[in-house]
Amino acid sequence: MSDDVLDPRMQKLVAALYGELSGEEEAEFQELLASDPALRAEWEELQASRFVLASLDTEEASPGFVFLTGESRPPRPGPAGFAARVRRWFGAGPAWGLAAAAVAVAVLGLADFRIQRVDGGVAFRFGGSRPTEVAGTQTSPPPAANLGDVLAQEGAQVTPVSAGAPYLTRTDMDDYESQVLKLMRAMLDDYQNYRDQELAGVIRALHSDVSQRQDDAYDDLRGRIEALNMGLHAEQTESDLRYQNLVKNGAHRLDDAPPNGPGTNDQPKNDQQKDNR
Amino acid sequence: MSDAELVDLSRGGNMDAFNLLTDRWEDSLYRFVRRTLGNEDDARDVCQESWIKAYQNLPRLRDGAKFKSWLHHIALNQCRDRFRAAKTRGDSVALEDAPRDSDEMRAGGAWIADHAAGRGSVQGLLGEILDGIPVEQRTCLLLREYHGFNSEEIAEITGVPAATVRTRIFYGLKTVRKVMARRGLSDLDFN
């Protein structure tokens, strides 16, 4: 790269290009510009370059750099905010972000999830039990929640780059974000496990109840079958007895009949009658 | 409230004052570093390191009114450190070896074909043009064109005389035309 300093005319050209000349210098330069076609050509070329450079979009927002004061700051507009981070976590499309947010709100709402300031601290909880204090001490006025303390007491390992300083770096913020997400995931997993166990308990109770009912029904049915069996058996026995009695009585009557009486020589007699006819 | 007043308050331990300085200049600083390094992740890191250094060294700043120049000076030094580290590692981009307008850029024919097919936006073209300017020229141009620093302030930031700054701006602007000519672009492409 050439750093050879330009001649004074070109130095003035650049200074004039950006309005850095005084009124008197500017007037002198304009006279020079009018009388020197080569200088005029350079001027127009540089102006054209500036015109091109002016097309650059300079609205690119920074990713944000946070200095903590323990007091709330006005939210930063633009894509550097929390919403942008959420979009990065859940994907690029706004639909995904909305869907993820809706699911998160629904799940947390169903679980009665709450973040509360308790006794000067911050507490997370599901359901109606008294929340466990996880940060802060009982002071008046209560101090701002220290996210590092919250995460540490929840079991997260966070070592801020800016430890001891009243600011958070982007690295710290990324670290905190990932740890918070990790904690949220763990809490949701716990909740899911709780729901799974609860559901398993319900299913077990249902199964036990159904089994009991089935056993009762089976016992009842078996009892009925046995009763029927017994009834049938009794009827059979009675029937057998009656039959035996009948047989016995029948035999007795036969014993009382004459030797050629009816039932002994009837058939030949009938046959003889047929022949006679 | 002026930068000088905010710097005074910050020196007295008022963190809100420093936060206001952060809010005021972080976008500008990020854009400068982003365009100087040409890499978003490195730019974030450099901005972070620059703000930490600014915070830590605030008591050494003699004239609070020059906070913006001083901050950009810190960031530029961080960029230079990055370039040096990249050169030591053998990475392709280093301060002295930054891409020039002819050799390291893509072949003009293919680039023009992309452009003609509508695949390159104006911002993309400008980004490539800026990336084609040697880093020291680009730094001066960026500070002058997009950050409102005059030659004297850029001289303080970059540590070279104001005449050298004007020279770099001059050659930087000439390089823009050269790159455009090689790419077959005209001013109409940027209307």
Side-chain angles (χ1 to χ4, degrees), chain A residues 1-6 10-15 17-18 20 42 45-69 71-74 76 88 161-162 165-167 169-172 174, chain B residues 15-16 18-20 22-23 26-27 30-31 34-35 40-41 44-45 47-48 51-52 55-56 100 122-123 126-127 129-130 134 136-137 141 144-146 149-151 162-164 166-171 173-174 176-177 180 187 190-191:
Chain A
M1 179 180 61
S2 172
D3 261 357
D4 297 337
V5 176
L6 294 168
M10 293 302 171
Q11 290 281 341
K12 276 198 174 179
L13 176 72
V14 175
L17 204 59
Y18 292 100
E20 292 181 4
E42 291 281 13
E45 185 184 347
L46 299 188
Q47 284 279 36
S49 291
R50 289 201 67 202
F51 171 79
V52 168
L53 293 176
S55 308
L56 186 69
D57 178 12
T58 57
E59 296 306 310
E60 191 177 20
S62 80
F65 191 80
V66 182
F67 278 71
L68 292 183
T69 65
E71 296 170 19
S72 60
R73 300 177 68 196
R76 282 175 51 78
R88 283 205 302 275
V161 173
S162 53
Y167 54 74
T169 65
R170 185 175 62 83
T171 309
D172 292 335
D174 289 347
Chain B
M15 283 306 301
D16 280 340
F18 196 80
N19 279 327
L20 280 174
T22 311
D23 279 345
E26 66 178 343
D27 285 351
Y30 175 73
R31 284 196 296 268
R34 165 80 180 79
R35 284 289 166 198
E40 197 172 310
D41 286 335
R44 287 179 175 186
D45 289 342
C47 284
Q48 176 177 297
W51 279 110
I52 293 172
Y55 176 77
Q56 290 170 338
R100 302 302 166 95
V122 169
Q123 298 304 310
L126 271 169
I129 287 172
L130 283 169
E136 294 292 11
Q137 292 176 16
L141 255 186
R144 177 67 263 192
E145 287 287 340
Y146 304 118
F149 291 108
N150 63 34
S151 300
T164 304
R166 284 191 282 271
T167 302
R168 289 178 177 176
I169 290 172
F170 175 85
Y171 284 117
L173 290 172
K174 299 280 274 186
V176 169
R177 306 306 294 178
M180 285 175 63
D187 294 339
F190 298 92
N191 271 336

Side-chain angles (χ1 to χ4, degrees), chain A residues 9-185:
Chain A
R9 278 192 327 149
M10 293 302 171
Q11 290 281 341
K12 276 198 174 179
L13 176 72
V14 175
L17 204 59
Y18 292 100
E20 292 181 4
L21 294 178
S22 65
E24 191 179 336
E25 288 173 325
E26 178 70 26
E28 281 177 19
F29 178 76
Q30 288 301 329
E31 281 181 21
L32 192 62
L33 201 60
S35 62
D36 188 340
L39 188 67
R40 183 89 207 166
E42 291 281 13
W43 169 265
E44 285 171 359
E45 185 184 347
L46 299 188
Q47 284 279 36
S49 291
R50 289 201 67 202
F51 171 79
V52 168
L53 293 176
S55 308
L56 186 69
D57 178 12
T58 57
E59 296 306 310
E60 191 177 20
S62 80
F65 191 80
V66 182
F67 278 71
L68 292 183
T69 65
E71 296 170 19
S72 60
R73 300 177 68 196
R76 282 175 51 78
F82 183 75
R85 291 194 176 106
V86 171
R87 279 199 294 278
R88 283 205 302 275
W89 296 336
F90 291 107
W96 275 106
L98 284 173
V103 168
V105 167
V107 168
L108 294 177
L110 286 172
D112 196 17
F113 176 77
R114 291 172 188 178
I115 300 174
Q116 292 184 332
R117 183 177 287 278
V118 179
D119 297 333
V122 172
F124 301 110
R125 70 163 173 162
F126 287 112
S129 61
R130 192 183 186 283
T132 305
E133 187 182 336
V134 292
T137 53
Q138 197 162 5
T139 57
S140 182
N146 184 324
L147 186 57
D149 291 346
V150 174
L151 294 172
Q153 293 199 28
E154 286 291 315
Q157 300 296 317
V158 179
T159 307
V161 173
S162 53
Y167 54 74
L168 274 180
T169 65
R170 185 175 62 83
T171 309
D172 292 335
M173 288 300 289
D174 289 347
D175 203 11
Y176 281 134
E177 281 176 4
S178 66
Q179 294 287 353
V180 166
L181 275 181
K182 208 165 140 187
L183 280 179
M184 292 295 288
R185 274 192 220 109

Side-chain angles (χ1 to χ4, degrees), chain B residues 11-97:
Chain B
R11 282 175 177 148
N14 186 330
M15 283 306 301
D16 280 340
F18 196 80
N19 279 327
L20 280 174
L21 285 170
T22 311
D23 279 345
R24 188 173 289 177
W25 297 120
E26 66 178 343
D27 285 351
S28 167
L29 187 76
Y30 175 73
R31 284 196 296 268
F32 167 62
V33 173
R34 165 80 180 79
R35 284 289 166 198
T36 301
L37 293 175
N39 178 300
E40 197 172 310
D41 286 335
D42 284 348
R44 287 179 175 186
D45 289 342
V46 162
C47 284
Q48 176 177 297
E49 290 159 13
S50 301
W51 279 110
I52 293 172
K53 277 190 181 297
Y55 176 77
Q56 290 170 338
N57 294 302
L58 202 60
R60 295 184 194 172
L61 177 61
R62 280 172 291 185
D63 183 357
K66 292 188 174 179
F67 177 79
K68 185 187 173 189
S69 301
W70 179 67
L71 179 67
H72 282 72
H73 171 73
I74 291 171
L76 182 59
N77 281 340
Q78 296 287 319
C79 291
R80 286 171 168 158
D81 288 346
R82 291 253 159 183
F83 283 129
R84 279 190 211 102
K87 191 177 184 185
T88 304
R89 287 196 308 270
D91 291 356
S92 58
V93 177
L95 185 64
E96 295 81 2
D97 301 330

